[in-house]
Amino acid sequence: MPATDPLSATFAALADPTRRAILARLSQGETSVAELSKPFSISAPAVTKHLKVLQRAGLVRQGRQAQWRPCQLQAAPLREAADWVAQYRQFWEQSLDRLEDYLAELQAKPVSDTTLQPARRKRKP
Amino acid sequence: MPATDPLSATFAALADPTRRAILARLSQGETSVAELSKPFSISAPAVTKHLKVLQRAGLVRQGRQAQWRPCQLQAAPLREAADWVAQYRQFWEQSLDRLEDYLAELQAKPVSDTTLQPARRKRKP
């Protein structure tokens, strides 16, 4: 993985369902790599690889105790990600509003309207 | 790029500063690929490549008019990304609270405290 800006590293780390599941598990409390690996059908080395991506992005920290090296969630980088995405809130709300307007328009039309029965053709007058 | 879940595709698309800059530009209104390419030091084909990633993730739509094919922001997929990240709000707020507590603790201590003057060694009694 090339050197990258922190926000790109955060988004790249989140771009995998296994890594998101690891973060979800760690949100319930710190745990060992062995415990973390249990619910996944992938190998322990594959889990370790995902953990390394999360650690490089600063989303997971692993303790340094000899036997028990618990992984911990580090949520701070997610704040910048949330702030970045939140800038676009008005745009997805606008598209939801347009969808609602469209549905309201459909409901306002009589049931016999052809938009609800696209299979029937209106005869030309 | 392998077939992937929509949320992973969204995060992967956001994991690049050029792609985020393209979305920021499109949030100001639709524009052509040529206009989009201007502020970037990368080649037009490189911009096109980034646009394809954004299109596959459903974040950009390109018109089909013959000459003028404007790119448009499609913000709907960002909603799921925002919802996912928002689940972790309490965790980054906790870590900010801990930092504030620590700073308050530092301020409450007298200036002569060794924590503010780590270079000086306390003599053993």
Side-chain angles (χ1 to χ4, degrees):
Chain A
M1 193 190 276
T4 186
D5 63 289
L7 185 53
S8 295
T10 303
F11 283 132
L14 300 181
D16 182 279
T18 303
R19 291 199 290 270
R20 292 197 301 276
I22 289 174
L23 294 179
R25 168 63 191 82
L26 292 179
S27 72
Q28 292 163 24
E30 62 178 25
T31 192
S32 65
V33 178
E35 276 300 316
L36 261 184
S37 306
K38 279 185 187 170
F40 302 111
S41 55
I42 57 175
S43 66
V47 171
T48 304
K49 214 170 159 185
H50 282 308
L51 273 173
K52 282 205 175 124
V53 176
L54 291 167
Q55 283 177 295
R56 274 197 297 261
L59 290 164
V60 167
R61 191 167 56 185
Q62 198 170 6
R64 287 278 157 204
Q65 290 95 323
Q67 295 293 322
W68 151 249
R69 298 183 56 200
C71 298
Q72 292 176 324
L73 173 68
Q74 302 288 300
L78 295 178
R79 192 194 182 193
E80 201 193 340
D83 287 348
W84 190 90
V85 178
Q87 299 177 96
Y88 294 84
R89 177 176 298 278
Q90 55 169 312
F91 298 100
W92 75 72
E93 281 176 352
Q94 274 168 15
S95 54
L96 282 177
D97 287 349
R98 277 198 297 271
L99 183 63
E100 271 176 23
D101 289 350
Y102 174 68
L103 291 176
E105 207 177 285
L106 278 186
Q107 284 186 321
K109 285 184 181 177
V111 180
S112 64
D113 192 293
T114 50
T115 55
L116 293 180
Q117 299 175 332
R120 288 191 204 167
R121 270 195 178 178
K122 250 187 187 169
R123 277 187 218 148
K124 279 180 188 170
Chain B
M1 194 189 273
T4 186
D5 63 290
L7 185 53
S8 295
T10 304
F11 283 133
L14 300 181
D16 182 279
T18 303
R19 290 198 292 269
R20 293 197 300 276
I22 289 173
L23 294 180
R25 169 62 192 82
L26 292 179
S27 73
Q28 292 163 25
E30 61 178 27
T31 191
S32 66
V33 177
E35 276 300 316
L36 260 183
S37 307
K38 278 184 186 169
F40 301 111
S41 56
I42 57 175
S43 65
V47 171
T48 304
K49 213 169 158 187
H50 282 308
L51 273 174
K52 283 207 176 123
V53 176
L54 290 167
Q55 283 177 295
R56 273 197 297 262
L59 290 163
V60 168
R61 191 167 56 183
Q62 199 171 6
R64 287 278 159 204
Q65 291 95 322
Q67 295 293 324
W68 151 248
R69 299 183 56 200
C71 298
Q72 293 177 323
L73 173 67
Q74 302 288 300
L78 295 177
R79 192 195 183 192
E80 201 193 340
D83 287 348
W84 190 90
V85 179
Q87 299 176 96
Y88 294 84
R89 176 176 299 278
Q90 55 169 309
F91 297 101
W92 75 71
E93 281 176 352
Q94 274 168 15
S95 54
L96 283 176
D97 286 349
R98 277 198 298 270
L99 183 65
E100 271 176 22
D101 288 350
Y102 175 68
L103 292 176
E105 207 176 285
L106 279 185
Q107 285 186 320
K109 284 184 181 175
V111 180
S112 63
D113 192 293
T114 49
T115 55
L116 293 180
Q117 299 175 333
R120 286 192 203 166
R121 271 197 179 177
K122 250 187 187 169
R123 277 188 218 148
K124 280 182 189 169

